[in-house]
Structure formats: C-alpha cells, structure tokens
C-alpha cells in the first residue's frame, strides 16, 4: 500500500554524528538535493574545534543543520524538527535544542554501555523514557548498511563508513528529494575506487528503500518548491561567494588578483578556493605569517595588482601595522576578516561579530579605512565586488567583515548578471599631473582627484612617473617627506575626508517599514540579517509594526543614517558582540540605541529576537 | 623597441634606449644621513652602478624597511617604497611575483633584516624570489640612536646594555646559507670596486641575492670595521673569495667553488670569522642556480591557462549544480 504523503511548508533537519561520520557531507548532499528540488533553503554547519576529537565524545560531535521551505526563508532555523543522531554523543549534544514533538532518528548501533558512559549518559536514553516527548525512531542503521552492502567485499570498517549514505537515502525518501545529484556525485567522487563507489550507491539506495518499506515510517512528507524570482540558481557558501566576488572584481577591473594569506579558520577556504583559479591569472601566496601575507598583497598592489589578504581576527591583529602603511601609501587593498569567537584564539570554529571596532580603530594614528559587511552567504559575492570598487576607486584599504556563520553557511543564490556589476576602473596614471611655476611638467603622487580625493596610482614601469612612497608623513601634493605641523594636520584630515567621501557613492540606507507605522527600528549589520529579518516577519504576521534596516557600509555610514535613527522612537541593534555598532552609533549620532547582544558563538535565533522586539514594542505602547 | 639583457636576473626587464648616467638616478631629495656615514658611499656606488645595468629606470624598484639605511629609496630616481620595520622582503616578494618586468631591490639594516624582519628574510631566501637584498650591517641600531643589534659583538656596551650585551650575534652569511639561499655575498662600504662587482653579480643572479655590506656608523658604532680598512692589517684579515680562484689562509689553500650544490663548504668559509675579524671572507660565498619562486608561480598560471583555457567567469560562478526557475509559481 502506498504510504501517506503529508504536506509541510517548512522543515528543519539536523544531521549529527561523530566528526568521522561524514555528517558535513551528508548535509551537503541533502542540501544539493533540496536546492535541485527548488525549495528555498539555508544551512548551518557546526564543526567541532578539534580535527579528530576522541570518537564518541561530546567534543567530537559534528553537525549540519538545514532549513528548507516552500517560501522564502532567511535563517537555518531555530529548533530542528528532525534530528538524525549517529551515536550517543550526537544525541546527547543535540537533544536540548529540540522542541517537544520533534522527530529523532537514532542509529542504535553504538548504544553500548561503554559509549553511553563516554557520552555522559548514566542510563540508556532510548529505553529510560527520557525521550518520550519526541517521536523516536531507533534503528540500527549501521547493521542495515553493512547487510545491504555485504556483497561488495568491503572491510567491516569501510562498510560501516557508508552508513551516512544510508541515512541520507532514508531522509531523501522521507522528504521526497530527487536523488540524481547524489548518485552523480558519488559516481564521480569515487570513480577511481569502484567498490567504494558501488557500496556508497547501494547504501544510499538501501536507505531510500528502507524508508519506503519499513513500517516504522508510516508517512513521508512533501515540501513544495518555493516561488523564486526567475533565473538560474546554485547553492553557495559565503566563503565560496566571497572568492568568486574577488575573481569577478579582478576580471571586471582587469587587475590581476593577488592573494597573500596565512591559513586560519574560518578563512582558509578562500585561500584554497582561489588557489584553484590560476587560469584567471589569480596568484595565491601562502606566506610565512599574516604580516607577510598582507605585505606581499600590498607590494603587488603597488605593482598594479588587486591586492587581497584573507584572515580572521587574530590575523588582523598582526596585519594592523601594514594596514596603517596602506592607509599612508593610499593604495588599493582588500583585507578580508572572517570573524570568529575571540579574544585571542577564542572559538575558532564559532561565529562572532566582535572585530568591528578592531576594523574601525585597530591601528596607531588616525588611520581610517572603509568597512563593508555581507549579510548572507550569497551576498558575500556582492560585498567583495563592492570592497574592490571602493579600494580601487578611492585608493584605500577596505575591510570586508564576514564571519564564521556566513563563511560556512549556504543558501540558494541567483547567478548574477555579470554585466550589471559596478565598473571598477583602476585609471592608472600615465602622465605628469602638475606644472611647476617655471612650466615644467612633474608627477605629484599626492595630488588628488577633487571629487573622490583619491590620489593617482602610478605603477612601476610607467616612464617619467618615478616616485617614492612611504609611511612617513608626506607633503600634500608632491608627496615628499614633510614634518610640517600644519601639513600633517591637513593630511590627517584629508585622509579622513577621503574615506567620508565614499558615502557619496553608496546611496542612502533603505528601511523596510511596510506599514509606515513602525515606532521600533531594528538596525543590524553582517550575518544577523537572516534572524533579524525572520523575526520582523513574525512580528508583522502578528500584526505588529516594525521597521528593519541593515548596514552594508560600516565606514563610512550611509549619509542618511542619522536621520533614519532619529525617525523612530526606539532603535534596537542586535549584535553578536557586546555592542560595538551601538557604540559607534551613539558616539556619532547621539542616539540612545538599545543593544541586544550575545556571544555564544552561534547566530541569533529568530525566536529570541521575536521576543526581544515584541517586548520592546509593548514597552513603547505602555 | 626594447632589448633584454642576457643576465638571467634581469632577463625580463626592459632596457633603456639611451645610455644613462649617475645623475639620472639621483633624486631631488636632500640626503640626510650623518656626515661621514657609510650609507653615503654605498649610495654613491649604487647610483654609479645602476646606469651600467642599462635598464629603464622606471622598471627598477627599491623597497626598504625602517632604519637609517632604509632611507635609501628616497635618494634614487626610480620607483621606491619606504615601508615598515622588517617587512620589506615580504612586500618585495609580492611585487616581484606580480611583476617579472621589474628589477626589485630591498634595502635593509641589521636590525631591520635580522631582528624584526628575520622571519621574512629567511623565507624570502628559501623561496628564492627574484630580488636583490642589500643588508647594510653597521652592527648597531642607528636610527633609534644606538642600541645593540643582532650583529653586535658580545659584551657590547650600548645605551640598552650598559654592562655589555649578553646576546650572541648572528653571522648573516651563515644565517643566509642555512636558510637555503642561492646567492650570498659580503662586501665593504669603503671598497667601491668590490662593492660594484658584487652588486653586478647579485643583480644578474636569478633568485634572491643577499649582499651583506659592512657599513660604518660613525655616530653610534664608529670604527666597527676599521681593522678591515686599515692598509696595514686589511690584506692579512680579508679573505677574498672569487669563484675558481685560489684562497690562501696561512698554510691552508683551496680553490673557491661558489657553485657547489652543497652549501656546507660555503658555510664553513662563513665561519672563518670567529668574531675577532682575524679572517673575514668577502666576495661571493655561494651562487647556484635554482628555480625561483616567482618564475614557478607564473609558469603555473600559464600552464593552467593553456591546459584549461582562459578563465570563463560565467562558467566559474555557475559551477556544476545549477537549476533554473523560469517563472514564479503563483
Ligand atoms: C614596529 C617598529 N618597531 C620599532 C621601530 C623603531 N626602529 C626604527 S629603526 C630601528 C632599528 C634600526 O636598526 P637597523 O635596521 O640596523 O638600521 P640602521 O638605522 O642601523 O641603518 C628601530 C628599532 C619601528 N620603526 N617600528
Ligand atoms: S646614525 Fe649612524 S647609520 Fe644612521 S645616519 Fe648616522 S651615521 Fe649613518
Ligand atoms: Mg644597523
């Protein structure tokens, strides 16, 4: 008898297992199937801090959460509807995040006394009734997998390894996912090892068939495709989108891309990705340290490349002096900070937004730089292009503040029409730009464009424009060393004014205030866009008025920001730090913004923000 | 039309159409070292030597760190960058990798190269990026007014070591050889002919050339190298190295082989100076061919473009898993 199919509008699934269980791959494949099916989706991988923590322990648990829906969604979801737990530790680490009624699918294979103890259980949770409020499916996935692939002659260990594909097959059946992309993937991935390939394919199909035939699963679910704007889509993570944005900016500006970087989580994937694109003329230099990474990028910029350095917070600390040099040299430079939990080594695999003030002020002297932040994984592409536009146009270092959540999270992304990307014109100097009193033509490296205040970029190899630049203060115009007090005052103010001028090119901050009646404005930046947006939608569904605005540019701010802030009775600023944007807004606009701050290493949930915004509105109406 | 020089280090650098003179390489900036500073003589030697390379001066770049010596680029009418303390080798690495058509020079001091910038120096040497590093060794921190440096002799009394330094110094040549350098030489500020000869060889070398230049700082470490300049003593103390020529110290004599693949012999020679300056080798210790970092990076770019074709941005961005939404379902 055909099983019943139930309609759902959205589902949140979390795959959890030991770091060796392949949960990231499982989640990734399910994501691809879901993308191919046409749901809107958002993902959140959660890696253990250690590469190989002892098997079966809580620190070794790796998980991947996926939210998919028949409508436009903004976050990876709060509480999972379904938890797939591959061992006792994975169950224990994740049960607390589930709401009553959630489904748990457990691989019972590892529920031995020893493993239970290792995970910190004193009794077997599958038997002691502690999971009664959930819908529990206890299945020996490992044994079923080993049985299903016994003809392929794999060792027991290798056979056990394919249990993640069995689980994927089961979940794919449960939610009616198209299987072609996973089959194609496995075929390609293990092309050189036919027995492993066939075993994985068999495990995947066995999982599907198990769902279809077992009585344990009486219903399957359908989540219809989401309406999306017409176009071609792919699924993309933030680090990948950011890498592509940099390549696009290089192609667009015709400047060869030069990346100088030192490996650090969660930024390394940008180095890995860009190192694959040599056919685009992209040079990736794995330096001896962060200082050399940015130094080489700046050297390449001096030579006419699009110089980029990628790192996380600790690396920015090391790069500070060179960023200051770039401010003084007034050369284009993109500094990518994929923020993670701090201070010091902090929480390398967790997300945070606590480098904003470091980006803003973390240098000696008055050393302003432009700051740009992406708001979603796909948006990392546009943010990277925008960083390049500003860097090249204004001859300045630009900080691009991504974070661990954006870096590894993914979402469907509509492929951009590359012709509509902004023009990025290096506009190299080719001739003298100054006439002396006696009529000689000279090149003055610090004679500025009156509109942008940018200085000319004359690269070595250009005849007659030989000049020297350096970190010592330069005289306005001709750029020779100057210790003159009034000149220094002028140069400090001019460098600041140049950064402020960028605001002329960025357009006003747009506020989403559908009813026009809101008294509360929620202002965010960076990766909080998703949860803030989701919370605002919930409020509006409950008939509450709330306005939302999100900053792409953190330095300079859009020119209408002060006016926007003053338009509302209350401004709430949620941040994954202790109030860094809040501090800047209060200092600059004298507006009493209210922070909502947490630093748990995880993104906000829409639920908690909904509560915060609702309470604030209630207070306003009291 | 430009023709290129036969010297491997400058192979891709365009040459000047008309011969140039020393004056063409002097910038309009007033030179501001202390009177009698060894840096003046080195500057004069470099300004005199650069025209002989026959390169277009717009294709020459001097990158320096911080220190008295690092003021050097301001006085040359080429492109130049006076960067930050110790980082010039890293900056020059990016520049030289991005631009094969440039002759890239680093000017650094003993503090700049061996203290704060030690890491960048050794990594530039092992990578063998095509650049020439001039290490002005005055065995003191000049710019910060006279603290001991990583090349100061043990027991040295300076402002920061009133009872004498208890640090053991580096021998920059030994350090470079240990860091897999392909070209290592030493010369003296006062010996213009020798300095020029060494610079010529260093510039011609494809890869990172390290030239240690003993430089007198008359203000904070005057006379550090006097025994090597004194007519009476110099010839007994200086051990002149020339590839293929005999070297003699007392009873010992051997034929100098700078091209030996194994750096052990060069290292041994670098240890001849035990700190007393009784025997100080000068000249080229080592000069061997090894593929350069920057050439190999560029050839990977060329290879990728020729095997996979030039990059197609649309194809890159789309990847292999796309889906199309033709119209929004209502
Ligand atoms: C980050 C940093 N630390 C310290 C200094 C101060 N400083 C400038 S030059 C110098 C030492 C210079 O010695 P050396 O490299 O031997 O050059 P010299 O002046 O002797 O030519 C120091 C410590 C600085 N400019 N920057
Ligand atoms: S302090 Fe010494 S090294 Fe510096 S300029 Fe004066 S003499 Fe030369
Ligand atoms: Mg010195």
């Amino acid at each position: 008898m055909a099983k019943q199919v139930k309609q759902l509008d959205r589902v949140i699934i979390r795959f959890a297992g030991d770091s060796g269980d392949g949960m990231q791959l499982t989640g990734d494949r399910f994501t691809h199937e879901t993308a191919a099916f046409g749901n809107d989706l958002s993902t959140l991988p959660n890696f253990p801090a250690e590469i190989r923590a002892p098997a079966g322990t809580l620190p070794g648990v790796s998980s991947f959460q996926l939210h998919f829906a028949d409508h436009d969604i903004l976050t990876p979801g709060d509480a999972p509807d379904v938890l797939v737990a591959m061992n006792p530790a994975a169950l224990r680490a994740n049960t607390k995040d589930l709401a009553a009624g959630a489904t748990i699918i457990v691989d019972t294979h590892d529920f031995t006394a020893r493993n239970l103890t290792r995970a910190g259980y004193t009794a077997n949770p599958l038997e002691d009734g502690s999971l009664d409020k959930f819908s529990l499916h206890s299945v020996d996935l490992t044994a079923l997998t080993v049985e299903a692939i016994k003809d392929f002659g794999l060792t027991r260990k290798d056979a056990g390894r394919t249990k993640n594909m069995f689980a994927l097959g089961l979940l794919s059946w449960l939610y009616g996912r198209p299987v072609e992309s996973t089959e194609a993937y496995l075929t390609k991935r293990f092309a050189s090892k036919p027995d492993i390939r066939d075993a994985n394919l068999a495990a995947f199909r066995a999982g599907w068939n198990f769902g279809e035939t077992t009585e344990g699963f009486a219903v399957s679910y359908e989540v219809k495709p989401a309406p999306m704007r017409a176009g071609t889509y792919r699924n993309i993570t933030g680090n990948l989108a950011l890498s592509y944005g940099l390549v696009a900016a290089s192609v667009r500006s015709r400047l060869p891309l030069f990346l100088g970087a030192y490996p650090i989580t969660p930024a390394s994937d940008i180095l890995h990705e860009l190192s694959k694109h040599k056919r685009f003329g992209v040079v990736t230099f794995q330096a001896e340290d962060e200082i050399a990474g940015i130094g080489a990028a700046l050297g390449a910029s001096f030579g006419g490349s699009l110089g980029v350095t990628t790192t996380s917070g600790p690396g920015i600390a090391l790069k500070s002096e060179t960023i200051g040099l770039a401010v003084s040299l007034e050369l284009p430079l993109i500094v990518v900070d994929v923020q993670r939990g701090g201070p010091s080594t902090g929480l390398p695999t967790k997300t945070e937004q606590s480098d904003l003030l470091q980006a803003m002020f973390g240098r000696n002297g008055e050393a302003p730089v432009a700051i740009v932040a992406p708001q979603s994984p796909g948006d990392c592409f546009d943010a990277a292009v925008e960083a390049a536009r500003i860097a090249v146009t204004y001859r300045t270092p630009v900080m691009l503040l991504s974070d661990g959540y954006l870096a590894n999270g993914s979402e469907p992304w509509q492929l951009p029409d590359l012709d509509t990307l902004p023009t990025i014109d290096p506009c190299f100097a080719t001739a003298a730009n100054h006439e002396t009193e006696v009529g000689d033509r000279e090149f003055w490296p610090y004679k500025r464009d009156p509109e942008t205040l940018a200085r000319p970029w004359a690269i070595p190899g250009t005849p007659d424009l030989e000049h020297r630049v350096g970190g010592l203060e330069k005289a306005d115009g001709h750029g020779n060393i100057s210790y003159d007090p009034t000149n220094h005052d002028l140069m400090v103010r001019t460098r600041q004014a140049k950064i402020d001028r960028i605001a002329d090119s960025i357009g006003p901050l747009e506020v989403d205030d559908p009813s026009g009646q809101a008294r509360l404005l929620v202002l965010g930046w960076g990766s909080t866009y998703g949860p803030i947006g989701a919370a605002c939608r919930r409020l509006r569904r409950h008939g509450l008025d709330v306005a939302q605005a999100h900053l792409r540019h953190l330095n300079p701010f859009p020119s209408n920001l002060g006016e926007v802030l003053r338009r509302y009775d209350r401004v709430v600023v949620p941040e994954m730090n202790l109030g860094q944007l809040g501090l800047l807004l209060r200092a600059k606009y004298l507006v009493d913004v209210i922070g909502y701050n947490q630093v748990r290493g995880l993104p906000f949930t829409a639920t908690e923000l909904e509560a915060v915004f609702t309470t604030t509105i209630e207070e306003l109406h009291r | 039309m430009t023709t290129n020089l036969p010297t491997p280090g400058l192979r891709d650098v365009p040459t000047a159409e008309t011969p140039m003179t020393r004056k063409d390489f002097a910038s309009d900036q007033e030179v501001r070292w202390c009177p009698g500073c060894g840096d003046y003589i080195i500057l004069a030697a470099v300004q005199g030597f650069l025209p002989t390379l026959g390169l277009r001066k717009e294709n020459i770049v001097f990158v320096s760190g911080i220190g008295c010596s690092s003021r050097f680029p301001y006085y040359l009418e080429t492109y130049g960058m006076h960067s930050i303390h110790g980082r010039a080798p890293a900056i020059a690495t990016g520049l030289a990798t991005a631009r094969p058509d440039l002759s890239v020079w680093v000017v650094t001091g003993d503090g700049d190269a061996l203290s704060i910038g030690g890491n960048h120096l050794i990594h530039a040497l092992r990578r063998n990026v095509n650049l020439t590093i001039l290490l002005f060794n005055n065995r003191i921190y000049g710019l910060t007014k006279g603290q001991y440096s990583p090349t100061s002799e043990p027991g040295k009394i300076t402002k920061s070591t009133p009872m004498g330094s208890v640090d053991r110094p580096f021998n920059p040549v030994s350090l470079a050889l240990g860091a897999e350098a392909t070209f290592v030489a030493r010369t003296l500020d006062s010996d213009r002919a020798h300095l020029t000869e060494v610079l010529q060889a260093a510039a011609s070398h494809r890869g990172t050339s390290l030239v240690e230049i003993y430089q007198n700082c008359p203000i904070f470490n005057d006379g550090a190298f006097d025994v090597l300049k004194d007519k009476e003593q110099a010839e007994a103390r200086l051990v002149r190295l020339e590839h293929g020529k005999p070297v003699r110290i007392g009873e010992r004599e051997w034929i100098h082989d700078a091209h030996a693949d194994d750096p052990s012999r060069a290292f041994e020679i670098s240890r001849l100076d035990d700190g007393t300056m009784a025997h100080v080798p000068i000249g080229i210790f080592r000069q061997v061919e090894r593929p350069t970092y920057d050439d190999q990076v560029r050839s990977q770019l060329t290879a990728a473009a020729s095997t996979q074709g030039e990059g197609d941005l649309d194809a890159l961005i789309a990847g292999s898993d796309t889906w199309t939404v033709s119209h929004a379902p209502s």
Side-chain angles (χ1 to χ4, degrees):
Chain A
M1 198 190 87
K3 290 190 178 179
Q4 190 195 337
V5 178
K6 223 171 130 179
Q7 297 291 325
L8 295 174
D9 62 348
R10 63 188 196 101
V11 178
I12 301 163
I13 299 179
R14 187 182 294 177
F15 295 96
D18 208 62
S19 47
D21 285 343
M23 290 298 98
Q24 301 302 327
L25 174 67
T26 311
D28 214 44
R29 292 325 311 163
F30 196 91
T31 303
H32 276 85
E33 295 175 2
T34 297
F37 185 72
N39 295 123
D40 195 14
L41 68 87
S42 173
T43 68
L44 175 68
N46 198 350
F47 309 102
E50 288 81 20
I51 304 299
R52 286 270 180 273
T57 61
L58 292 180
V61 174
S62 166
S63 71
F64 187 102
Q65 182 164 316
L66 167 83
H67 181 189
F68 59 102
D70 67 0
H71 55 275
D72 162 30
I73 53 170
L74 296 168
T75 74
D78 298 352
D81 302 304
V82 182
L83 170 68
V84 180
M86 304 303 277
N87 68 6
L91 179 65
R92 181 139 190 272
N94 291 287
T95 315
K96 62 177 185 325
D97 295 339
L98 305 176
T103 297
I104 303 180
I105 301 173
V106 186
D107 180 3
T108 57
H109 194 76
D110 281 344
F111 278 67
T112 59
R114 195 159 152 233
N115 286 328
L116 287 166
T117 314
R118 193 177 286 175
Y121 281 119
T122 47
N124 187 343
L126 305 181
E127 291 160 4
D128 68 0
S130 61
L131 301 175
D132 281 356
K133 60 178 172 182
F134 305 114
S135 158
L136 181 65
H137 296 267
S138 301
V139 187
D140 190 339
L141 294 173
T142 307
L144 287 169
T145 308
V146 171
E147 173 64 20
I149 64 165
K150 62 174 190 291
D151 294 342
F152 295 99
L154 264 55
T155 61
R156 228 195 126 70
K157 194 168 154 231
D158 278 347
R161 276 209 178 139
T162 61
K163 69 179 174 193
N164 62 334
M165 286 302 115
F166 188 96
L168 178 62
L170 172 59
L171 270 288
S172 300
W173 170 78
L174 198 56
Y175 292 98
R177 305 288 90 184
V179 297
E180 295 75 14
S181 69
T182 295
E183 296 193 332
Y185 170 84
L186 291 173
T187 307
K188 200 171 151 205
R189 170 87 171 68
F190 297 112
S192 62
K193 297 176 189 150
D195 48 341
I196 305 268
R197 173 197 64 200
D198 295 344
N200 273 287
L201 284 167
F204 178 59
R205 287 176 194 140
W208 176 286
N209 294 339
F210 175 74
E212 206 166 45
T213 50
T214 186
E215 291 178 1
F217 293 94
V219 266
S220 70
Y221 301 91
E222 183 176 5
V223 181
K224 292 237 162 66
M228 299 215 211
R229 255 185 297 154
T232 306
Y233 289 77
R234 63 167 292 164
N235 192 58
I236 201 158
T237 64
N239 272 350
L240 190 56
L242 198 151
S243 306
Y244 288 171
L246 293 173
V247 177
S250 159
V251 170
R252 195 79 186 154
S253 61
R254 296 170 195 272
L255 296 173
L257 186 63
F258 185 103
L259 172 70
Y262 188 76
I264 185 168
T265 303
S268 302
D269 279 342
I270 304 173
L271 168 63
H272 305 160
E273 183 61 34
L274 288 176
S275 66
K276 294 182 205 159
H277 304 306
K278 301 195 186 331
R279 56 198 291 211
F280 286 87
V282 176
V283 174
T284 51
F285 170 62
Q286 182 177 316
E288 56 271 24
D289 60 22
E290 277 82 356
I291 303 174
I294 187 172
L298 183 61
S301 277
F302 183 65
S305 289
L306 183 61
V308 180
T309 190
T310 50
T311 188
S312 187
I316 295 293
L318 287 171
K319 292 175 195 292
S320 305
E321 191 191 10
T322 312
I323 298 171
L325 176 64
V327 167
S328 182
L329 300 184
E330 302 191 42
L331 283 171
L333 184 68
I334 300 172
V335 181
V336 179
D337 177 359
V338 186
Q339 300 165 95
R340 63 189 218 181
S344 188
T345 309
L347 299 173
T349 60
K350 306 288 185 236
T351 196
E352 213 162 276
Q353 294 184 297
S354 44
D355 294 348
L356 175 59
L357 294 182
Q358 178 176 230
M360 188 77 191
F361 300 121
R363 289 165 295 283
N364 60 303
E366 296 285 353
V369 300
I371 306 174
V372 168
Q375 64 183 30
S376 72
D379 187 49
C380 288
F381 179 90
D382 291 323
V385 174
E386 174 65 353
R389 180 193 71 83
I390 295 173
V392 171
T393 311
Y394 292 87
R395 320 308 200 198
T396 177
V398 179
M399 285 270 193
L400 180 51
L401 287 184
S402 178
D403 66 31
Y405 165 51
L406 295 176
N408 294 314
S410 73
E411 65 177 354
W413 179 58
Q414 187 179 358
L415 300 186
D417 175 358
L418 297 173
D419 294 334
T420 63
L421 295 182
T423 345
I424 304 176
D425 184 2
C427 202
F428 290 129
T430 52
N433 59 353
H434 185 77
E435 194 169 311
T436 62
E437 280 162 20
V438 294
D440 286 344
R441 300 287 298 164
E442 287 184 347
F443 176 62
W444 280 25
Y446 281 81
K447 186 162 172 171
R448 296 169 190 281
D449 178 300
E451 193 186 320
T452 59
L453 296 182
R455 77 175 190 90
W457 187 10
I459 62 171
T462 317
D464 303 328
L465 306 193
E466 293 86 359
H467 65 283
R468 276 66 53 195
V469 292
L472 285 170
E473 185 60 281
K474 291 150 286 282
D476 182 34
H478 60 66
N480 291 328
I481 301 173
S482 165
Y483 299 111
D484 178 66
T486 44
N487 174 74
H488 178 56
D489 188 82
L490 173 72
M491 291 298 276
V492 167
R493 289 174 197 279
T494 307
R495 286 186 286 261
Q496 181 64 53
K498 180 180 80 168
I499 298 301
D500 295 342
R501 287 276 172 103
I502 297 168
D504 296 347
S505 72
I506 64 179
L509 177 67
E510 281 171 29
V511 183
D512 179 31
D513 182 359
S515 66
Q517 304 290 313
R519 293 174 64 194
L520 167 67
L521 169 71
V522 183
L523 180 70
W525 68 280
S527 72
T528 54
Y529 175 76
I532 294 175
C536 288
R537 284 182 189 176
R538 291 189 194 179
L539 258 66
R540 289 171 193 152
R541 249 181 274 136
H542 297 144
L544 296 174
D545 295 312
V546 61
Q548 183 193 359
H550 212 74
L551 290 167
R552 144 87 78 231
H553 299 93
L554 293 135
N555 198 35
F557 287 131
S559 15
N560 65 331
L561 179 57
E563 180 266 313
V564 168
L565 293 174
R566 287 184 202 101
R567 223 192 286 159
Y568 293 88
D569 295 336
R570 276 285 152 79
V571 180
V572 169
V573 181
E575 291 181 87
M576 295 186 287
N577 58 39
L578 296 186
Q580 302 196 3
L581 174 62
L583 185 81
L584 296 177
L585 296 173
R586 285 165 162 266
K588 179 144 193 195
Y589 300 108
L590 294 175
V591 169
D592 187 17
V593 303
I594 299 165
Y596 177 71
N597 307 91
Q598 58 95 331
V599 279
R600 296 170 309 194
L602 292 168
F604 290 113
T605 64
T607 310
E608 70 178 313
L609 293 180
E610 179 188 2
V612 172
F613 304 161
T614 307
T615 315
T616 311
I617 291 176
E618 281 165 8
E619 279 167 12
L620 272 175
H621 291 273
R622 202 172 285 154
Chain B
M1 264 302 289
T2 61
T3 50
N4 291 327
L5 286 176
T7 48
L10 304 169
R11 199 173 61 206
D12 302 327
V13 186
T15 51
E17 275 136 64
T18 49
M20 277 182 296
T21 66
R22 184 195 140 77
K23 265 176 72 187
D24 292 314
F25 283 94
S27 77
D28 60 358
Q29 296 300 292
E30 187 194 338
V31 186
R32 295 230 186 131
W33 289 305
C34 309
C37 178
D39 292 353
Y40 280 100
I41 346 179
I42 306 173
L43 176 64
V46 169
Q47 285 171 338
F49 152 76
L50 284 177
T52 68
L53 287 178
L55 303 175
R56 293 187 173 209
K57 65 182 175 157
E58 65 267 24
N59 287 73
I60 300 176
V61 185
F62 277 77
V63 182
S64 63
I66 297 290
C68 297
S69 37
S70 289
R71 293 295 187 97
F72 208 82
Y74 288 116
Y75 308 133
L76 287 172
E77 190 55 22
T78 63
Y79 282 86
M81 186 196 293
H82 179 217
S83 75
I84 45 178
H85 203 18
R87 317 303 172 193
I91 293 170
T93 293
L95 180 63
T97 305
R99 294 287 304 273
D101 60 326
L102 303 178
S103 168
V104 181
W105 298 69
V106 168
V107 176
T108 179
D110 42 319
D112 195 62
L114 301 169
S115 275
I116 194 165
N119 199 30
H120 308 308
L121 179 74
I122 57 174
H123 287 278
L125 292 170
R126 84 173 160 87
R127 285 191 190 103
N128 201 30
V129 187
N130 193 23
L131 36 97
T132 303
I133 303 177
L134 308 183
L135 196 171
F136 292 24
N137 184 4
N138 54 12
R139 309 188 73 178
I140 198 81
Y141 285 1
L143 190 71
T144 46
K145 304 197 172 154
Q147 301 82 4
Y148 77 108
S149 89
T151 57
S152 298
E153 58 278 19
K156 185 161 195 83
I157 304 226
T158 70
K159 281 188 188 143
S160 58
T161 50
M163 292 176 71
S165 154
V166 293
D167 269 12
R168 184 175 170 87
F170 273 138
N171 173 329
V173 170
S174 302
L175 179 83
L177 291 166
E180 309 288 342
T182 57
F183 183 107
V184 187
R186 177 186 290 141
T187 183
L188 291 169
D189 57 1
S190 53
D191 187 345
R192 181 146 172 187
H194 190 262
L195 176 63
T196 306
E197 199 181 305
V198 168
L199 290 180
Q200 172 69 53
S204 309
H205 178 69
R206 196 157 190 88
T208 307
S209 319
L210 180 86
V211 181
E212 182 190 14
I213 306 173
Y214 282 164
Q215 172 240 325
N216 191 39
C217 166
I219 305 297
F220 297 111
N221 200 17
D222 194 25
F225 306 104
D226 274 3
V227 291
L228 304 178
K229 298 176 181 177
D230 174 274
K231 282 227 162 60
E232 321 267 277
Q233 306 180 47
E235 281 322 301
R237 290 175 183 264
L238 289 175
V239 180
R240 292 185 182 271
L241 305 173
E242 278 179 74
H243 176 72
K245 300 266 171 69
V247 187
R248 201 170 298 121
I249 302 179
E251 301 293 284
R252 296 164 64 195
E253 188 181 313
W254 71 93
I255 303 293
H256 180 52
D257 180 7
H259 300 172
D261 202 39
D262 179 356
S264 318
R265 186 79 184 113
F267 188 83
E268 195 185 338
I269 296 170
S270 78
R271 308 309 287 176
L272 283 173
D273 179 10
D274 56 6
T276 62
M277 291 197 189
H279 304 294
V280 178
I282 61 166
I284 300 167
F285 289 71
R286 177 172 171 77
Q287 179 177 17
V288 294
E289 274 179 43
R290 195 174 78 215
T292 71
Y293 175 84
D294 48 317
D295 281 334
Q296 294 180 89
V297 165
R298 290 185 296 259
S299 67
Q300 285 191 349
L301 300 190
T302 319
S306 68
T307 56
Q308 307 159 15
E310 301 263 316
D312 172 347
L313 189 56
D314 281 296
L316 170 74
I317 286 175
S320 54
D321 268 332
T322 57
W323 68 95
T324 302
V325 176
S326 34
H327 60 88
S330 46

